[in-house]
Amino acid sequence: MQTPFDLPEPTAGARAHSAHLAALIHERISAAGGWIDFADYMDLALYAPGLGYYSAGATKLGAAGDFVTAPEISPLFARCLARAIAPVLQALPGADILELGGGSGALAAGLIPALARLGALPRRYRMLEVSADLGERQRALLGAQAGPQWPALEWLEALPGEAFRGVVIANEVADALPVSRFTIRDGAVQALGVGARSGGFAWAARPADPGLAAAVASRLPDGASAFAEGYTSEISRRLPAWIAALSATLGEGALVLCDYGMTRREYYHPQRVQGTLTCHYRHRAHDDPFRHPGLQDITAWVDFTAVAEAAVAGGLAVAGYATQAHFLLDAGLGQELAGAGHPLPPRLAQQARTLLLPGEMGERFKVMALSRGALAPGGFGFRDLRHSL
Ligand SMILES: C[S@@+](CC[C@H](N)C(=O)[O-])C[C@H]1O[C@@H](n2cnc3c(N)ncnc32)[C@H](O)[C@@H]1O
């Protein structure tokens, strides 16, 4: 992937905002002696208070933003997810839903009515959102739709302190966790971090600290020496702690993670020589995280083997792992389409194609269910890929 030449120019106000954030990142680089790990750069670019992409006011989701997600593309996604989690909610009276990173609120707005139709409403629908403006969008959307039968809506500042009973959902959140980048030089692992160059930022390699070198070596059965010279990729050193925190929170029920990602074997495949780092700006995907800091999303695919390892270490069971297409089909996409009338409205047919086709979202996106207790979501009967993790 290369940076397209046709990235739209930000407005003067947006450029000024980005310049403020860039100045902050330059200060951090300078204070750290001229170099920071890419995870620290990504953390600032996405989450610096008042300035980062998710902390400040960029539109982010939807036609006027930078990307669209499955629940934004089609209500079919939320309806199928509702079918998959309904048995867990029905078996746990008084259970809650906790949605992490709910974006515009589209998933909640689709899930709640679908769960009501299935007789599986949670007691509370709780949101944990790091972005103040997305939290506002969620409140506005859900507040306008809420009816007397709706569960109580709550916005949390942190994971619940008490043991959570119910279903935790995170669609396209894990890919926003900051990643470290590495490259192989002279057979050794180098950390590919960020330095300052001509007023902007540039990649800068330096020998990996022992923690990064060991983490990279653990990614291949034969250790770091199995990576070819120049091989470059990412590793999320924060993902295990994030999953550990979620595991500690989940007292009974399930956690459903949907994201673009793959098994470790696929992630660190010898031919994937440039990793998975991707930036999204006004519906263009490119690979330059130093363009317009604070105005664009920066993501990396999820290593689902790492998710599974951390979950098992936290006492959860991996209850299912499937492509988005297989998950949606098993969860009842066919029934949803059959109930949508004949002929199928062309818009719905197009949405279903986008969710299902391998060249669209069907295969790149995966769904993983983690559970504590005997209950597990559906959606994995069609083709469960846990054996491949
Ligand atoms: C790509 S958007 C996905 C939004 C929504 N889940 C959807 O599918 O439309 C990422 C969301 O995660 C939120 N987010 C990012 N990092 C987060 C974190 N560490 N914890 C909770 N939410 C986070 C963002 O503010 C945003 O709402």
Side-chain angles (χ1 to χ4, degrees):
M1 194 191 319
Q2 289 195 332
T3 307
F5 291 107
D6 66 340
L7 281 187
E9 257 313 293
T11 62
R15 281 203 305 275
H17 175 94
S18 181
H20 270 120
L21 177 58
L24 174 79
I25 301 174
H26 276 294
E27 272 171 38
R28 296 292 172 87
I29 291 174
S30 171
W35 186 95
I36 56 173
D37 190 274
F38 182 70
D40 296 326
Y41 174 88
M42 187 167 163
D43 201 8
L44 289 164
L46 297 183
Y47 304 110
L51 290 172
Y53 180 75
Y54 282 113
S55 319
T59 306
K60 299 178 263 291
L61 289 102
D66 304 298
F67 55 86
V68 286
T69 59
E72 300 268 334
I73 287 167
S74 176
L76 291 167
F77 183 83
R79 290 182 203 157
C80 293
L81 185 56
R83 287 171 177 265
I85 64 173
V88 179
L89 293 168
Q90 283 160 339
L92 286 178
D96 295 328
I97 288 181
L98 169 62
E99 185 180 354
L100 309 174
S104 68
L107 182 56
L111 259 184
I112 294 172
L115 288 169
R117 284 193 293 277
L118 296 167
L121 276 178
R123 184 168 63 102
R124 293 177 293 188
Y125 198 106
R126 311 176 93 184
M127 291 277 205
L128 176 55
E129 174 56 69
V130 294
S131 161
D133 59 290
L134 287 177
E136 284 311 311
R137 275 173 79 176
Q138 293 160 13
R139 282 183 173 84
L141 180 71
L142 300 175
Q145 294 194 7
Q149 307 305 323
W150 271 44
L153 300 172
E154 287 182 7
W155 279 263
L156 308 180
E157 299 287 324
L159 287 174
E162 77 281 14
F164 178 87
R165 287 177 77 247
V167 180
V168 183
I169 300 166
N171 186 57
E172 285 205 46
V173 181
D175 64 83
L177 294 177
V179 291
S180 295
R181 275 204 115 196
F182 68 89
T183 192
I184 303 298
R185 290 222 180 126
D186 300 326
V189 181
Q190 298 259 316
L192 205 45
V194 184
R197 190 199 292 159
S198 9
F201 304 104
W203 293 110
R206 59 167 54 179
D209 62 66
L212 178 62
V216 171
S218 74
R219 290 307 188 256
L220 287 189
D222 299 328
S225 59
F227 288 110
E229 187 68 10
Y231 187 93
T232 299
S233 190
E234 300 81 40
I235 188 163
S236 178
R237 291 196 273 176
R238 303 188 189 190
L239 180 82
W242 189 68
I243 295 292
L246 293 173
S247 307
T249 295
L250 186 64
E252 188 176 16
L255 165 57
V256 183
L257 291 177
C258 316
D259 229 309
Y260 33 97
M262 48 205 155
T263 63
R264 177 166 298 158
R265 205 172 308 118
E266 296 163 304
Y267 204 107
Y268 298 107
H269 191 279
Q271 286 171 0
R272 196 178 303 283
V273 293
Q274 288 299 323
T276 68
L277 192 75
T278 308
C279 306
H280 297 274
Y281 181 68
R282 308 271 189 88
H283 301 277
R284 273 95 165 162
H286 68 91
D287 66 0
D288 183 359
F290 308 135
R291 278 287 272 274
H292 309 319
L295 304 186
Q296 64 174 3
D297 195 16
I298 306 175
T299 68
W301 288 37
V302 175
D303 171 357
F304 274 103
T305 304
V307 173
E309 283 175 354
V312 169
L316 301 184
V318 181
Y321 173 62
T323 65
Q324 176 172 294
H326 288 145
F327 174 81
L328 294 176
L329 288 167
D330 191 57
L333 190 98
Q335 290 97 305
E336 290 292 337
L337 292 178
H342 283 290
L344 190 61
R347 249 183 76 169
L348 210 56
Q350 180 53 41
Q351 292 170 4
R353 278 195 287 274
T354 305
L355 294 177
L356 295 180
L357 285 177
E360 302 268 1
M361 302 180 81
E363 277 188 6
R364 280 180 298 140
F365 281 76
K366 308 292 192 306
V367 182
M368 177 172 272
L370 306 168
S371 63
R372 189 184 303 282
L375 302 165
F380 303 98
F382 201 54
R383 187 137 190 246
D384 191 335
L385 296 172
R386 273 179 296 178
H387 62 275
S388 66
L389 287 165

